[in-house]
Amino acid sequence: MLNKLNGYRDITEDIISEAFLEAYGDNIHRLIGSMATDKPQLVAVNSESDIRQLEKHTSGHLAPEGVLDGRVLVLYTGGTIGMIRNDDGVLVPKANAFVKNLRRYPNMHDKKYAEERFGSMGPLVLPMTRGDSRRVIYNVLEYSPLCDSSNMTMDNWIAIANDIQQAYQHFDGFVVLHGTDTLSYTASALSFMLEALGKIVILTGSQVPIFDSRSDGLENFLSSLIIAASYHIPEVCVYFGTKLMRANRTSKISATAFNAFDSPNFPPLAKANSKIEVDYRAIFRPCTLTKFCVHANLNRNVGLLRIFPSITTELVRAFLQPSIEGVVLESYGAGNIPINREDLVDEFRKASKRGVIIVNITQCATGCVMGLYEPAKQLEKAGVISGYDMTPEAALTKLAYVLSKKEWNTDTRRKIMQINLRGELSAGRPPSLQDVDLVEAVARSLRISSSAEFAELGTILFPAMLNAAVIAKDLAKLESLKGYGANITQKNADGRTALHIACCEGDLNVVQCLLRMGASVHIKDRFDRTPLTDALEYDHHDIIKVLLQCGAHLHGSGYLIGEKMCVAAAVGNVKRLKSYHIANADLSQIEFSGRTPLHYAALHNKPQVIKFLLEHRVNTDCKDKIGQTPLDLARAAGSADAVSLLSDPEPTGSSVKTAG
């Protein structure tokens, strides 16, 4: 799960799954003793073999009732949500208390189910309610020391981003528990740092601790967990007060209200009332054939400068002195400064010529910089660029991100600041939908008027038409449907998307077209199959490679992956084993009886399979649950070819591939 832990000092059994303890045991104790400072740090805690062992068990035990799992990693950084009251009634953070209390809280942990399935030290599990399609299972990693959000720095942002990267393949979504004061800064920064993000990251907190009798924390945390486990929204988001908002569009608007955050210039991505309603059209999707990665570097020489009446030239000049490299200028109204202050304009002009990037945004809560008036035009001539409708938090963190990109020169950075990278600004949006919306036209012909029937029509019509275009290999029709408002990731009745169908059909051009249109490689259908699963089972090797390039990975129990490979080995299906090898599966992965594909190939005398496995240096000495090696089984079964191949004294080593 994690090959590095950033700034963790007090790690206890209460926050670590049984599988984690089994894999890391001694290393955890060494780690606890080694972290003696409060500074965030990177501490290596494992070897390559530890990682492989952990990855085989990350998924834990199979769900006994057949309900699919949704896995969430919670990064608890601090904040009011986890605080408790001391003897004087004062709110204070207490190390290792949060998870202990969650285990005793029936709304947050189904103790009976969790202990039966995982044991007492396993992950936390939400109770299931009627209509739930997934069992939400979550692990909590508590940071040490717990950090008040007012103390958050760029180092903390980088630590959070790196932790998400380390655990990325093993969870469906991530929830970051954070203090509210600087939550929007952290959320905005993560939205830029997490490049080509394909899974949801939700930041949330509360105004009142979750364990107080009257708290907003319970609803915020519960809803964040459910959305992160069950809904595919590949963005960094903020959840607060029943609204899921794009992270880089949010600002804190109240110090006391439960609805503490708002997204003033962009509608919520989802609302969680009696039902969770997602606006899929509003979601900003990565449309490049690249894999998720973290840009773990930020430029710290940036700042916010707010214009106010009678601001002095000396103050502005001092603020713009080296080593400042980027400034977010908060001006009046639609981007104005006093028209009679040529002295200020001159300071901005000088700084801009030195290479300082100055981004003009409005002080107003809503609206944007438009350049309608003479003062705004003067700033533009002085080299100040428009930040359109970005929030101060988004503009500042985007500057820190853009200025850290060494491969971009100053002119490129200025252009990038005015381009919509992660949905943070309205300028440069894609063209609006066609004047006559396709669904509206069909609705009129069917005389549908209610909003509920209209929404249902879209969920039926678009998936059917997208899938038909995929089967027909009609790329032009796919583009046209997107223009008419089709959600390229919309599911059919079985939860399957157009990309699932395309990976079965096997046309590489269609798959690449869908991925460039924003299709997700991580969506699971009702049978828990991703597009990669379909590509594997149809042995489309080129498509497997493209999916991996876009961040796809094997998921689910390592034992089940091992079982599928063992079946392929037993029947001599080398092509299927090649598919799994391309997908980075561990060809030495065991199934439930402890046998590897080599065991089955030996037992059933499949020489071509054995040769393939030996070429890829699988472990030949692995023993099953009754102590038999592949060679032992070959001899017992009288598999002459297998015995001959496996009796070669040349050592074969062990596999270095991993099962996702």
Side-chain angles (χ1 to χ4, degrees), residues 329-367:
L329 179 66
E330 295 185 71
S331 59
Y332 303 138
N336 303 319
I337 63 170
I339 194 169
N340 59 348
R341 295 295 304 274
E342 180 59 34
D343 54 330
L344 297 184
V345 176
D346 190 50
E347 293 299 328
F348 294 135
R349 183 182 297 108
K350 291 176 182 177
S352 182
K353 286 183 177 179
R354 292 198 308 269
V356 178
I357 297 179
I358 306 173
V359 182
N360 188 15
I361 65 170
T362 177
Q363 295 178 9
C364 302
T366 60

Side-chain angles (χ1 to χ4, degrees), residues 73-192:
L73 178 63
V74 178
L75 302 178
Y76 173 39
T77 69
T80 299
I81 191 168
M83 290 184 179
I84 59 173
R85 297 187 184 275
N86 63 15
D87 294 338
D88 298 323
V90 177
L91 291 174
V92 294
K94 184 177 179 181
N96 305 319
F98 184 61
V99 173
K100 289 179 180 177
N101 286 326
L102 285 177
R103 290 190 184 279
R104 295 192 289 264
Y105 210 53
N107 284 345
M108 296 301 303
H109 183 53
D110 188 338
K111 183 177 180 180
K112 180 180 178 182
Y113 175 90
E115 290 188 358
E116 288 177 355
R117 182 173 172 191
F118 299 106
S120 60
M121 290 298 113
L124 293 106
V125 182
L126 288 188
M128 286 202 73
T129 59
R130 187 177 180 182
D132 288 347
S133 60
R134 291 187 178 270
R135 171 76 74 166
V136 180
I137 299 170
Y138 64 107
N139 293 73
V140 179
L141 289 180
E142 180 176 305
Y143 281 38
S144 182
L146 292 170
C147 187
D148 186 285
S149 69
S150 60
N151 295 330
M152 279 281 177
T153 67
M154 290 186 182
D155 290 327
N156 298 107
W157 301 346
I158 292 169
I160 293 169
N162 283 333
D163 287 343
I164 290 171
Q165 182 179 41
Q166 296 297 332
Y168 188 75
Q169 291 195 8
H170 306 290
F171 293 90
D172 298 307
F174 301 85
V175 172
V176 180
L177 298 180
H178 195 290
T180 60
D181 287 346
T182 61
L183 186 149
S184 285
Y185 285 98
T186 302
S188 295
L190 289 175
S191 75
F192 298 112

